[in-house]
Amino acid sequence: MRDTVEIVGVNIDNITFQEAENICKEYLQQDKLKMIFTPNSELLVDAVKDPSFSHVLNSGDLIIPDGIGVVIASRFYGTPLKEKVAGCELMNSLLEIAYTQERSVYFLGGKEGVAEEAAQKLSEKYPGINIAGYHHGYFDEDEEKEIIQEIISKKPDIIFVAMGAPRQEKWIYKHRDVLGAKIAIGVGGSLDILAGRAKRAPEFYQKAGLEWLYRLLKEPKRFFRMLKLPKFILLAFYDAKTR
């Protein structure tokens, strides 16, 4: 039975990174697609505003707390989450697992060229890794049908979807019954990091739970987006106290 903490209406799995990794390994032994979502504070604020997005997140098979704000908020509910489980790190772990287990992967999303660059970087790091295919995230309805048909024909074990939230989560949910993979995970900007177009925060910021501050310092234009963090904390505090 899953151990979860409901935070602003979304059930977050109360697991460690190692436990998440082990669950993913189990998923790769099964035939039915498993959906992995990685909500942070910003996504949970969006889920409060959009009940359909909240429903999609709660439909996930594994919902990890991708952000220190989510961990802090869990304390208001009397059941603290064990730790932050970074989506970027889980993606890297899945790629390593795919390589060692000879599993195939597919990259979908990012600007034109990003998915291809990510595939190239990955091939350099893991020579011989099975990359079933890739496609950027800017496509129309006709292209989408072709992409889905390609995925079905290539039969990748893991699909990394990087189209930004909530689009990537809703896309996975909408097509969950036809994709045929074992795992589909929303990875957002992590694909840009894999491609070398963006850098993750230095370890100091990661350990201190200040990745958001590093991103703000690098991209001041993110300021208004960052305002969702204190808003989320207030939403969670109020939600917990009114139960």
Side-chain angles (χ1 to χ4, degrees), residues 58-88:
N58 280 322
S59 299
D61 297 284
L62 181 61
I63 310 167
I64 64 173
D66 184 17
I68 193 65
V70 183
V71 177
I72 292 171
S74 69
R75 298 168 187 164
F76 302 149
Y77 295 85
T79 311
L81 290 166
K82 295 175 183 177
E83 64 183 37
K84 179 184 78 171
V85 181
C88 184

PDB file of all heavy atoms in Angstrom, residues 58-88:
ATOM      1  N   ASN A  58      -2.837  13.125  -9.467  1.00  0.00           N
ATOM      2  CA  ASN A  58      -3.258  12.062  -8.559  1.00  0.00           C
ATOM      3  C   ASN A  58      -3.442  10.729  -9.262  1.00  0.00           C
ATOM      4  O   ASN A  58      -3.550   9.692  -8.605  1.00  0.00           O
ATOM      5  CB  ASN A  58      -4.558  12.464  -7.853  1.00  0.00           C
ATOM      6  CG  ASN A  58      -4.314  13.403  -6.684  1.00  0.00           C
ATOM      7  OD1 ASN A  58      -3.341  13.258  -5.954  1.00  0.00           O
ATOM      8  ND2 ASN A  58      -5.190  14.379  -6.508  1.00  0.00           N
ATOM      9  N   SER A  59      -3.466  10.749 -10.584  1.00  0.00           N
ATOM     10  CA  SER A  59      -3.567   9.504 -11.351  1.00  0.00           C
ATOM     11  C   SER A  59      -2.198   8.856 -11.553  1.00  0.00           C
ATOM     12  O   SER A  59      -2.106   7.732 -12.053  1.00  0.00           O
ATOM     13  CB  SER A  59      -4.212   9.770 -12.718  1.00  0.00           C
ATOM     14  OG  SER A  59      -5.513  10.291 -12.569  1.00  0.00           O
ATOM     15  N   GLY A  60      -1.147   9.564 -11.181  1.00  0.00           N
ATOM     16  CA  GLY A  60       0.206   9.046 -11.349  1.00  0.00           C
ATOM     17  C   GLY A  60       0.465   7.819 -10.493  1.00  0.00           C
ATOM     18  O   GLY A  60      -0.104   7.670  -9.409  1.00  0.00           O
ATOM     19  N   ASP A  61       1.328   6.964 -10.981  1.00  0.00           N
ATOM     20  CA  ASP A  61       1.695   5.765 -10.217  1.00  0.00           C
ATOM     21  C   ASP A  61       2.781   6.083  -9.193  1.00  0.00           C
ATOM     22  O   ASP A  61       2.902   5.414  -8.171  1.00  0.00           O
ATOM     23  CB  ASP A  61       2.183   4.681 -11.176  1.00  0.00           C
ATOM     24  CG  ASP A  61       1.091   4.254 -12.140  1.00  0.00           C
ATOM     25  OD1 ASP A  61       0.191   3.515 -11.704  1.00  0.00           O
ATOM     26  OD2 ASP A  61       1.119   4.679 -13.310  1.00  0.00           O
ATOM     27  N   LEU A  62       3.579   7.098  -9.498  1.00  0.00           N
ATOM     28  CA  LEU A  62       4.613   7.550  -8.578  1.00  0.00           C
ATOM     29  C   LEU A  62       4.669   9.072  -8.661  1.00  0.00           C
ATOM     30  O   LEU A  62       4.883   9.633  -9.736  1.00  0.00           O
ATOM     31  CB  LEU A  62       5.979   6.947  -8.941  1.00  0.00           C
ATOM     32  CG  LEU A  62       7.164   7.316  -8.048  1.00  0.00           C
ATOM     33  CD1 LEU A  62       6.927   6.848  -6.612  1.00  0.00           C
ATOM     34  CD2 LEU A  62       8.462   6.721  -8.593  1.00  0.00           C
ATOM     35  N   ILE A  63       4.439   9.738  -7.525  1.00  0.00           N
ATOM     36  CA  ILE A  63       4.399  11.200  -7.486  1.00  0.00           C
ATOM     37  C   ILE A  63       5.430  11.654  -6.468  1.00  0.00           C
ATOM     38  O   ILE A  63       5.218  11.561  -5.263  1.00  0.00           O
ATOM     39  CB  ILE A  63       2.993  11.711  -7.101  1.00  0.00           C
ATOM     40  CG1 ILE A  63       1.928  11.036  -7.963  1.00  0.00           C
ATOM     41  CG2 ILE A  63       2.915  13.223  -7.248  1.00  0.00           C
ATOM     42  CD1 ILE A  63       0.519  11.236  -7.451  1.00  0.00           C
ATOM     43  N   ILE A  64       6.569  12.140  -6.954  1.00  0.00           N
ATOM     44  CA  ILE A  64       7.678  12.449  -6.056  1.00  0.00           C
ATOM     45  C   ILE A  64       7.716  13.932  -5.682  1.00  0.00           C
ATOM     46  O   ILE A  64       7.310  14.790  -6.459  1.00  0.00           O
ATOM     47  CB  ILE A  64       9.032  12.038  -6.675  1.00  0.00           C
ATOM     48  CG1 ILE A  64       9.323  12.849  -7.955  1.00  0.00           C
ATOM     49  CG2 ILE A  64       9.060  10.534  -6.955  1.00  0.00           C
ATOM     50  CD1 ILE A  64      10.714  12.623  -8.511  1.00  0.00           C
ATOM     51  N   PRO A  65       8.209  14.249  -4.479  1.00  0.00           N
ATOM     52  CA  PRO A  65       8.313  15.648  -4.040  1.00  0.00           C
ATOM     53  C   PRO A  65       9.563  16.311  -4.613  1.00  0.00           C
ATOM     54  O   PRO A  65      10.640  16.233  -4.033  1.00  0.00           O
ATOM     55  CB  PRO A  65       8.379  15.523  -2.514  1.00  0.00           C
ATOM     56  CG  PRO A  65       9.022  14.191  -2.270  1.00  0.00           C
ATOM     57  CD  PRO A  65       8.577  13.304  -3.402  1.00  0.00           C
ATOM     58  N   ASP A  66       9.404  16.963  -5.746  1.00  0.00           N
ATOM     59  CA  ASP A  66      10.544  17.558  -6.444  1.00  0.00           C
ATOM     60  C   ASP A  66      10.737  19.013  -6.018  1.00  0.00           C
ATOM     61  O   ASP A  66      10.510  19.931  -6.800  1.00  0.00           O
ATOM     62  CB  ASP A  66      10.333  17.472  -7.953  1.00  0.00           C
ATOM     63  CG  ASP A  66      11.529  17.988  -8.744  1.00  0.00           C
ATOM     64  OD1 ASP A  66      12.614  18.102  -8.162  1.00  0.00           O
ATOM     65  OD2 ASP A  66      11.368  18.295  -9.940  1.00  0.00           O
ATOM     66  N   GLY A  67      11.150  19.200  -4.772  1.00  0.00           N
ATOM     67  CA  GLY A  67      11.381  20.564  -4.297  1.00  0.00           C
ATOM     68  C   GLY A  67      11.316  20.634  -2.786  1.00  0.00           C
ATOM     69  O   GLY A  67      10.485  19.960  -2.154  1.00  0.00           O
ATOM     70  N   ILE A  68      12.189  21.439  -2.206  1.00  0.00           N
ATOM     71  CA  ILE A  68      12.234  21.556  -0.745  1.00  0.00           C
ATOM     72  C   ILE A  68      10.953  22.170  -0.204  1.00  0.00           C
ATOM     73  O   ILE A  68      10.537  21.880   0.913  1.00  0.00           O
ATOM     74  CB  ILE A  68      13.471  22.382  -0.305  1.00  0.00           C
ATOM     75  CG1 ILE A  68      13.703  22.235   1.200  1.00  0.00           C
ATOM     76  CG2 ILE A  68      13.339  23.833  -0.723  1.00  0.00           C
ATOM     77  CD1 ILE A  68      14.063  20.829   1.634  1.00  0.00           C
ATOM     78  N   GLY A  69      10.287  23.015  -1.017  1.00  0.00           N
ATOM     79  CA  GLY A  69       9.038  23.619  -0.571  1.00  0.00           C
ATOM     80  C   GLY A  69       7.963  22.583  -0.285  1.00  0.00           C
ATOM     81  O   GLY A  69       7.171  22.727   0.657  1.00  0.00           O
ATOM     82  N   VAL A  70       7.938  21.517  -1.083  1.00  0.00           N
ATOM     83  CA  VAL A  70       6.956  20.447  -0.888  1.00  0.00           C
ATOM     84  C   VAL A  70       7.248  19.708   0.414  1.00  0.00           C
ATOM     85  O   VAL A  70       6.339  19.354   1.173  1.00  0.00           O
ATOM     86  CB  VAL A  70       6.963  19.468  -2.076  1.00  0.00           C
ATOM     87  CG1 VAL A  70       5.892  18.393  -1.891  1.00  0.00           C
ATOM     88  CG2 VAL A  70       6.745  20.209  -3.386  1.00  0.00           C
ATOM     89  N   VAL A  71       8.526  19.503   0.700  1.00  0.00           N
ATOM     90  CA  VAL A  71       8.926  18.824   1.942  1.00  0.00           C
ATOM     91  C   VAL A  71       8.556  19.677   3.150  1.00  0.00           C
ATOM     92  O   VAL A  71       8.027  19.175   4.148  1.00  0.00           O
ATOM     93  CB  VAL A  71      10.434  18.517   1.936  1.00  0.00           C
ATOM     94  CG1 VAL A  71      10.862  17.890   3.260  1.00  0.00           C
ATOM     95  CG2 VAL A  71      10.788  17.585   0.775  1.00  0.00           C
ATOM     96  N   ILE A  72       8.816  20.975   3.066  1.00  0.00           N
ATOM     97  CA  ILE A  72       8.466  21.887   4.163  1.00  0.00           C
ATOM     98  C   ILE A  72       6.960  21.887   4.397  1.00  0.00           C
ATOM     99  O   ILE A  72       6.486  21.798   5.535  1.00  0.00           O
ATOM    100  CB  ILE A  72       8.957  23.323   3.847  1.00  0.00           C
ATOM    101  CG1 ILE A  72      10.483  23.376   3.872  1.00  0.00           C
ATOM    102  CG2 ILE A  72       8.375  24.327   4.838  1.00  0.00           C
ATOM    103  CD1 ILE A  72      11.067  24.684   3.372  1.00  0.00           C
ATOM    104  N   ALA A  73       6.204  21.957   3.324  1.00  0.00           N
ATOM    105  CA  ALA A  73       4.737  21.995   3.426  1.00  0.00           C
ATOM    106  C   ALA A  73       4.181  20.734   4.071  1.00  0.00           C
ATOM    107  O   ALA A  73       3.181  20.792   4.789  1.00  0.00           O
ATOM    108  CB  ALA A  73       4.132  22.200   2.047  1.00  0.00           C
ATOM    109  N   SER A  74       4.821  19.598   3.849  1.00  0.00           N
ATOM    110  CA  SER A  74       4.321  18.333   4.408  1.00  0.00           C
ATOM    111  C   SER A  74       4.286  18.361   5.929  1.00  0.00           C
ATOM    112  O   SER A  74       3.471  17.679   6.553  1.00  0.00           O
ATOM    113  CB  SER A  74       5.180  17.161   3.918  1.00  0.00           C
ATOM    114  OG  SER A  74       6.479  17.206   4.489  1.00  0.00           O
ATOM    115  N   ARG A  75       5.149  19.168   6.541  1.00  0.00           N
ATOM    116  CA  ARG A  75       5.209  19.253   8.008  1.00  0.00           C
ATOM    117  C   ARG A  75       3.935  19.864   8.586  1.00  0.00           C
ATOM    118  O   ARG A  75       3.562  19.567   9.725  1.00  0.00           O
ATOM    119  CB  ARG A  75       6.433  20.056   8.433  1.00  0.00           C
ATOM    120  CG  ARG A  75       7.747  19.411   7.994  1.00  0.00           C
ATOM    121  CD  ARG A  75       8.925  20.359   8.171  1.00  0.00           C
ATOM    122  NE  ARG A  75      10.155  19.799   7.588  1.00  0.00           N
ATOM    123  CZ  ARG A  75      11.240  20.497   7.323  1.00  0.00           C
ATOM    124  NH1 ARG A  75      11.273  21.804   7.592  1.00  0.00           N
ATOM    125  NH2 ARG A  75      12.301  19.919   6.787  1.00  0.00           N
ATOM    126  N   PHE A  76       3.275  20.700   7.807  1.00  0.00           N
ATOM    127  CA  PHE A  76       2.029  21.301   8.276  1.00  0.00           C
ATOM    128  C   PHE A  76       0.944  20.257   8.470  1.00  0.00           C
ATOM    129  O   PHE A  76       0.014  20.451   9.247  1.00  0.00           O
ATOM    130  CB  PHE A  76       1.524  22.350   7.274  1.00  0.00           C
ATOM    131  CG  PHE A  76       2.486  23.462   6.985  1.00  0.00           C
ATOM    132  CD1 PHE A  76       2.488  24.075   5.734  1.00  0.00           C
ATOM    133  CD2 PHE A  76       3.388  23.905   7.934  1.00  0.00           C
ATOM    134  CE1 PHE A  76       3.359  25.115   5.449  1.00  0.00           C
ATOM    135  CE2 PHE A  76       4.278  24.941   7.663  1.00  0.00           C
ATOM    136  CZ  PHE A  76       4.260  25.547   6.418  1.00  0.00           C
ATOM    137  N   TYR A  77       1.053  19.151   7.737  1.00  0.00           N
ATOM    138  CA  TYR A  77       0.026  18.111   7.761  1.00  0.00           C
ATOM    139  C   TYR A  77       0.309  17.030   8.808  1.00  0.00           C
ATOM    140  O   TYR A  77      -0.426  16.057   8.899  1.00  0.00           O
ATOM    141  CB  TYR A  77      -0.094  17.474   6.374  1.00  0.00           C
ATOM    142  CG  TYR A  77      -0.593  18.437   5.311  1.00  0.00           C
ATOM    143  CD1 TYR A  77       0.289  19.283   4.651  1.00  0.00           C
ATOM    144  CD2 TYR A  77      -1.931  18.503   4.968  1.00  0.00           C
ATOM    145  CE1 TYR A  77      -0.148  20.178   3.675  1.00  0.00           C
ATOM    146  CE2 TYR A  77      -2.391  19.388   3.994  1.00  0.00           C
ATOM    147  CZ  TYR A  77      -1.488  20.227   3.360  1.00  0.00           C
ATOM    148  OH  TYR A  77      -1.927  21.113   2.405  1.00  0.00           O
ATOM    149  N   GLY A  78       1.392  17.197   9.550  1.00  0.00           N
ATOM    150  CA  GLY A  78       1.711  16.254  10.620  1.00  0.00           C
ATOM    151  C   GLY A  78       2.396  14.988  10.156  1.00  0.00           C
ATOM    152  O   GLY A  78       2.676  14.099  10.965  1.00  0.00           O
ATOM    153  N   THR A  79       2.680  14.884   8.867  1.00  0.00           N
ATOM    154  CA  THR A  79       3.380  13.710   8.321  1.00  0.00           C
ATOM    155  C   THR A  79       4.491  14.196   7.398  1.00  0.00           C
ATOM    156  O   THR A  79       4.296  14.293   6.182  1.00  0.00           O
ATOM    157  CB  THR A  79       2.425  12.795   7.535  1.00  0.00           C
ATOM    158  OG1 THR A  79       1.259  12.532   8.311  1.00  0.00           O
ATOM    159  CG2 THR A  79       3.110  11.467   7.189  1.00  0.00           C
ATOM    160  N   PRO A  80       5.645  14.513   7.954  1.00  0.00           N
ATOM    161  CA  PRO A  80       6.734  15.046   7.132  1.00  0.00           C
ATOM    162  C   PRO A  80       7.203  14.042   6.083  1.00  0.00           C
ATOM    163  O   PRO A  80       7.338  12.850   6.363  1.00  0.00           O
ATOM    164  CB  PRO A  80       7.855  15.324   8.155  1.00  0.00           C
ATOM    165  CG  PRO A  80       7.152  15.396   9.475  1.00  0.00           C
ATOM    166  CD  PRO A  80       6.002  14.440   9.374  1.00  0.00           C
ATOM    167  N   LEU A  81       7.403  14.520   4.879  1.00  0.00           N
ATOM    168  CA  LEU A  81       7.985  13.677   3.838  1.00  0.00           C
ATOM    169  C   LEU A  81       9.424  13.342   4.209  1.00  0.00           C
ATOM    170  O   LEU A  81      10.122  14.138   4.842  1.00  0.00           O
ATOM    171  CB  LEU A  81       7.955  14.410   2.488  1.00  0.00           C
ATOM    172  CG  LEU A  81       6.568  14.600   1.863  1.00  0.00           C
ATOM    173  CD1 LEU A  81       6.629  15.613   0.735  1.00  0.00           C
ATOM    174  CD2 LEU A  81       6.023  13.271   1.362  1.00  0.00           C
ATOM    175  N   LYS A  82       9.855  12.159   3.813  1.00  0.00           N
ATOM    176  CA  LYS A  82      11.194  11.687   4.192  1.00  0.00           C
ATOM    177  C   LYS A  82      12.300  12.573   3.634  1.00  0.00           C
ATOM    178  O   LYS A  82      13.264  12.893   4.329  1.00  0.00           O
ATOM    179  CB  LYS A  82      11.391  10.246   3.706  1.00  0.00           C
ATOM    180  CG  LYS A  82      10.470   9.243   4.386  1.00  0.00           C
ATOM    181  CD  LYS A  82      10.624   7.854   3.790  1.00  0.00           C
ATOM    182  CE  LYS A  82       9.657   6.865   4.428  1.00  0.00           C
ATOM    183  NZ  LYS A  82       9.760   5.519   3.798  1.00  0.00           N
ATOM    184  N   GLU A  83      12.166  12.965   2.371  1.00  0.00           N
ATOM    185  CA  GLU A  83      13.192  13.802   1.754  1.00  0.00           C
ATOM    186  C   GLU A  83      12.721  14.291   0.391  1.00  0.00           C
ATOM    187  O   GLU A  83      11.755  13.778  -0.171  1.00  0.00           O
ATOM    188  CB  GLU A  83      14.508  13.032   1.588  1.00  0.00           C
ATOM    189  CG  GLU A  83      14.436  11.840   0.653  1.00  0.00           C
ATOM    190  CD  GLU A  83      15.747  11.063   0.581  1.00  0.00           C
ATOM    191  OE1 GLU A  83      16.421  10.938   1.615  1.00  0.00           O
ATOM    192  OE2 GLU A  83      16.083  10.589  -0.511  1.00  0.00           O
ATOM    193  N   LYS A  84      13.422  15.284  -0.123  1.00  0.00           N
ATOM    194  CA  LYS A  84      13.174  15.739  -1.485  1.00  0.00           C
ATOM    195  C   LYS A  84      13.704  14.683  -2.450  1.00  0.00           C
ATOM    196  O   LYS A  84      14.787  14.132  -2.246  1.00  0.00           O
ATOM    197  CB  LYS A  84      13.891  17.064  -1.739  1.00  0.00           C
ATOM    198  CG  LYS A  84      13.711  17.607  -3.144  1.00  0.00           C
ATOM    199  CD  LYS A  84      14.517  18.873  -3.374  1.00  0.00           C
ATOM    200  CE  LYS A  84      15.977  18.558  -3.624  1.00  0.00           C
ATOM    201  NZ  LYS A  84      16.754  19.747  -4.062  1.00  0.00           N
ATOM    202  N   VAL A  85      12.942  14.403  -3.486  1.00  0.00           N
ATOM    203  CA  VAL A  85      13.369  13.459  -4.516  1.00  0.00           C
ATOM    204  C   VAL A  85      13.406  14.235  -5.834  1.00  0.00           C
ATOM    205  O   VAL A  85      12.373  14.447  -6.470  1.00  0.00           O
ATOM    206  CB  VAL A  85      12.419  12.246  -4.615  1.00  0.00           C
ATOM    207  CG1 VAL A  85      12.911  11.266  -5.672  1.00  0.00           C
ATOM    208  CG2 VAL A  85      12.288  11.555  -3.259  1.00  0.00           C
ATOM    209  N   ALA A  86      14.573  14.700  -6.196  1.00  0.00           N
ATOM    210  CA  ALA A  86      14.710  15.572  -7.368  1.00  0.00           C
ATOM    211  C   ALA A  86      14.417  14.822  -8.659  1.00  0.00           C
ATOM    212  O   ALA A  86      14.983  13.755  -8.922  1.00  0.00           O
ATOM    213  CB  ALA A  86      16.114  16.169  -7.415  1.00  0.00           C
ATOM    214  N   GLY A  87      13.550  15.406  -9.468  1.00  0.00           N
ATOM    215  CA  GLY A  87      13.195  14.776 -10.738  1.00  0.00           C
ATOM    216  C   GLY A  87      14.380  14.640 -11.671  1.00  0.00           C
ATOM    217  O   GLY A  87      14.502  13.647 -12.394  1.00  0.00           O
ATOM    218  N   CYS A  88      15.277  15.626 -11.644  1.00  0.00           N
ATOM    219  CA  CYS A  88      16.462  15.592 -12.497  1.00  0.00           C
ATOM    220  C   CYS A  88      17.348  14.400 -12.132  1.00  0.00           C
ATOM    221  O   CYS A  88      17.866  13.699 -13.010  1.00  0.00           O
ATOM    222  CB  CYS A  88      17.240  16.894 -12.354  1.00  0.00           C
ATOM    223  SG  CYS A  88      18.679  17.035 -13.443  1.00  0.00           S
TER     224      CYS A  88
END
